[in-house]
Amino acid sequence: MIHHQIRLAMRPDAPQGKVDEALDMLRRMGREIDAVAYWSVGRDVGGDFDYGAMFAVEDIEGYRAYMHAPLHRQVDEIGLPLVRNMVSHDLTDDEDPATGDLIRQIHAERFAGDPALVALIEGLGSYEGSSAPGGGS
């Protein structure tokens, strides 16, 4: 399994209606992207973030399908302009040491093929983790 987790701190001026729309879109991802085995979207507790989401997929091919799903890109377009800071991490129980490199490769391909997505991310105050452009931190 691969668990993809994001934590989001919203911009102070983000309209709550737009935030709610973005959270609803994240929930749609969990329900509608076939590669997602299970998911959770809600308030982030115990840190400097407002909301979080976790999507679990079975394997690297499921991860690729999840990352490249058109609905995922729609969520980026709607949600990222509302976000001040974001952290994205992946946890896997796959013992293959290449899995981490494959995850980073999927993200690199996604960013290389979508300059508008990179521009959205560059508009964030901070963005860290396994999916950060340029290989992550």
Side-chain angles (χ1 to χ4, degrees):
M1 291 299 281
I2 301 170
H3 296 83
H4 178 69
Q5 178 180 336
I6 61 171
R7 299 176 79 194
L8 309 163
M10 308 313 283
R11 295 181 185 276
D13 60 346
Q16 189 60 48
K18 290 290 189 184
V19 171
D20 292 342
E21 178 185 4
L23 293 171
D24 287 343
M25 292 290 289
L26 284 167
R27 291 180 184 102
R28 273 189 60 201
M29 286 175 55
R31 289 189 305 268
E32 296 178 21
I33 297 175
D34 289 338
V36 175
Y38 54 92
W39 57 276
S40 179
V41 174
R43 291 178 301 115
D44 189 282
V45 178
D48 296 328
F49 297 91
D50 302 306
Y51 302 99
M54 185 283 305
F55 300 91
V57 297
E58 292 289 333
D59 54 27
I60 199 67
E61 288 311 314
Y63 191 87
R64 183 182 311 280
Y66 161 79
M67 280 296 162
H68 289 286
L71 180 56
H72 190 172
R73 184 59 181 86
Q74 289 175 338
V75 172
D76 292 334
E77 196 72 32
I78 292 167
L80 287 176
L82 306 171
V83 174
R84 178 174 42 94
N85 297 321
M86 179 173 169
V87 175
S88 170
H89 293 283
D90 296 290
L91 173 88
T92 183
D93 60 2
D94 186 333
E95 295 185 19
D96 183 349
T99 300
D101 291 335
L102 291 170
I103 287 170
R104 284 184 285 279
Q105 178 184 347
I106 289 167
H107 287 286
E109 291 167 357
R110 186 169 184 250
F111 291 126
D114 193 344
L117 176 59
V118 173
L120 285 171
I121 290 169
E122 288 174 346
L124 300 175
S126 70
Y127 185 44
E128 300 177 8
S130 55
S131 66
S137 55

